Amino acid sequence: MSASDILSLELVLLAALLPAADSAEATQEHIQFHVIQISSFANHSWAQHQGSGWLGDVQTHGWDSESGTIIFLHSWSKGNFSDEELIDLELLFRVYFIGLTRETEEYASQLHFGYPFEVQMTAGCELHSSDIAKVFLEAAYEGSDFLSFQNMSWVPAPEGDSRAQSACDLINQYEGIKEIVHKLLTNTCPRFALGLFDASKVDYKRQVRPEAWLSTGPSPGPGRLLLVCHVSGFYPKPVWVMWMRGEQEQQGTQQGDVLPHADGTWYLRVTLDVEAEEAAGLSCRVRHSSLGNQDIILYWGHHLSLYLILLAVIVPLMLLIVLALWFKKRCSYQDIP
Ligand SMILES: *[C@@H]1O[C@H](CO)[C@@H](O)[C@H](O)[C@H]1NC(C)=O
Ligand SMILES: *[C@@H]1O[C@H](CO)[C@@H](O)[C@H](O)[C@H]1NC(C)=O
Ligand SMILES: *[C@@H]1O[C@H](CO)[C@@H](O)[C@H](O)[C@H]1NC(C)=O
């Protein structure tokens, strides 16, 4: 192992052990907030809108289209905005969705939009150490780039056809809308993103301990076992999970994707394909910032003996019950003369 290998190994370990500090610092230079809208138009009288808000890759907001209200997904999702300002924004989005539905239905045939169709939109801002680095608003029609908002006007996407040009010509007539969009992107978004980022730090400090358990997966072949180590409900995301024999890491260890739970914690599945007779003595080791230095270690053998213990308790118990019932029946027959 060269010195640089050792250094990079140390960095990896450091990143695994200090995930809270690491992720907070990484995002300090770079903050991004954006909203996503997906609108389905089934026919000229039926449309549905889905909306969500994101700080980097963490979803912070949803949109309840029934009631036309913002769903705040975390305790800190309001950032530092007052309830008044949030109610104003909510009203603005509600009017926007109603207006979009009505205008789209009115102009669909003129713009040659064929039902059913889907419109996707993303808009937001990026900040580098509190300065605006970039604002963006891009819309797609049926999955292809359609138009964007640039410097106070609507511009068709390079791959957009004459429909994109017609749509831009149409909406560029509304100066008031352009001013609102411009203000949302260059003023509201950066202010909100900064306040939200500060408020989210509560979460970066959060530590939730994982639970871990073992099982077998579908057999990879005759005489082989797929050992599965499940690690669930941890926060923050960085985690280290390895199949071990004693202190030796098993090279065949396969990591799944780290998957989200609805409560914001994470789940990971780590597997090892082994000869059935080699399974005994293997263990799954879990290292996570919430555990301090107390790694979770689960032994494969213990997992099996738990079943044996259960079996050893349940089988005699069942026998006893059957015997007891049998005796009771015999006694009651004898009682009847
Ligand atoms: C429009 O689409 C919706 C949803 O698919 C459907 O329930 C409704 O019957 C359609 N209406 C017309 C007039 O086609
Ligand atoms: C944006 O528009 C203004 C006036 O319409 C113009 O002066 C400016 O150069 C434009 N900026 C860019 C980056 O296109
Ligand atoms: C929220 O925080 C940001 C950044 O710290 C600040 O610019 C803004 O004025 C604060 N308050 C509101 C209501 O935007």
Side-chain angles (χ1 to χ4, degrees), residues 66-95:
E66 291 287 313
S67 59
T69 50
I70 300 171
I71 302 164
F72 298 96
L73 294 174
H74 307 280
S75 57
W76 45 268
S77 287
K78 290 185 176 179
N80 65 349
F81 273 28
S82 64
D83 284 343
E84 288 75 27
E85 191 162 15
L86 289 167
I87 288 168
D88 285 349
L89 282 170
E90 201 169 68
L91 187 65
L92 189 69
F93 290 133
R94 209 179 296 164
V95 169

Side-chain angles (χ1 to χ4, degrees), residues 125-331:
C125 54
E126 264 176 48
L127 300 148
H128 289 292
S129 40
S130 320
D131 295 327
I132 303 176
K134 183 178 149 194
V135 300
F136 55 93
L137 188 160
E138 282 152 14
Y141 168 79
E142 286 289 82
S144 300
D145 287 346
F146 191 66
L147 57 78
S148 64
F149 187 76
Q150 312 246 342
N151 194 24
M152 286 295 279
S153 66
W154 301 96
V155 182
E159 52 271 71
D161 48 22
S162 60
R163 291 184 294 191
Q165 184 63 59
S166 309
C168 289
D169 291 345
L170 185 71
I171 47 179
N172 268 323
Q173 296 170 32
Y174 301 99
E175 292 298 332
I177 293 179
K178 288 193 279 189
E179 268 161 35
I180 293 173
V181 172
H182 182 72
K183 188 172 172 227
L184 283 174
L185 293 176
T186 59
N187 177 315
T188 315
C189 182
R191 269 194 303 124
F192 187 63
L194 280 174
L196 190 65
F197 177 71
D198 277 341
S200 75
K201 284 178 185 161
V202 186
D203 243 30
Y204 283 118
K205 295 206 186 80
R206 189 163 76 116
Q207 293 286 333
V208 187
R209 295 167 66 94
E211 278 183 50
W213 68 94
L214 306 178
S215 73
T216 45
S219 172
R224 302 194 70 84
L225 276 178
L226 188 69
L227 311 185
V228 186
C229 182
H230 307 259
V231 184
S232 182
F234 55 91
Y235 191 93
K237 195 174 178 181
V239 68
W240 182 92
V241 184
M242 187 58 76
W243 278 100
M244 314 279 290
R245 185 179 299 283
E247 287 300 309
Q248 205 180 356
E249 295 177 13
Q250 297 302 292
Q251 294 307 319
T253 299
Q254 296 275 340
Q255 280 223 358
D257 292 326
V258 180
L259 303 173
H261 279 304
D263 65 359
T265 64
W266 298 95
Y267 167 85
L268 175 65
R269 199 182 113 111
V270 170
T271 58
L272 183 67
D273 174 356
V274 289
E275 297 281 352
E277 58 267 25
E278 283 174 7
L282 285 167
S283 61
C284 173
R285 185 164 193 151
V286 182
R287 199 168 290 162
H288 187 256
S289 52
S290 65
L291 300 167
N293 293 326
Q294 307 279 297
D295 295 356
I296 295 178
I297 304 174
L298 297 175
Y299 291 93
W300 182 254
H302 290 195
H303 160 75
L304 280 187
S305 62
L306 188 69
Y307 282 112
L308 289 180
I309 291 167
L310 278 179
L311 221 63
V313 173
I314 286 171
V315 171
L317 207 68
M318 296 282 279
L319 277 175
L320 269 177
I321 293 169
V322 169
L323 272 174
L325 286 174
W326 185 69
F327 270 116
K328 209 173 152 204
K329 239 182 183 169
R330 253 177 73 115
C331 292

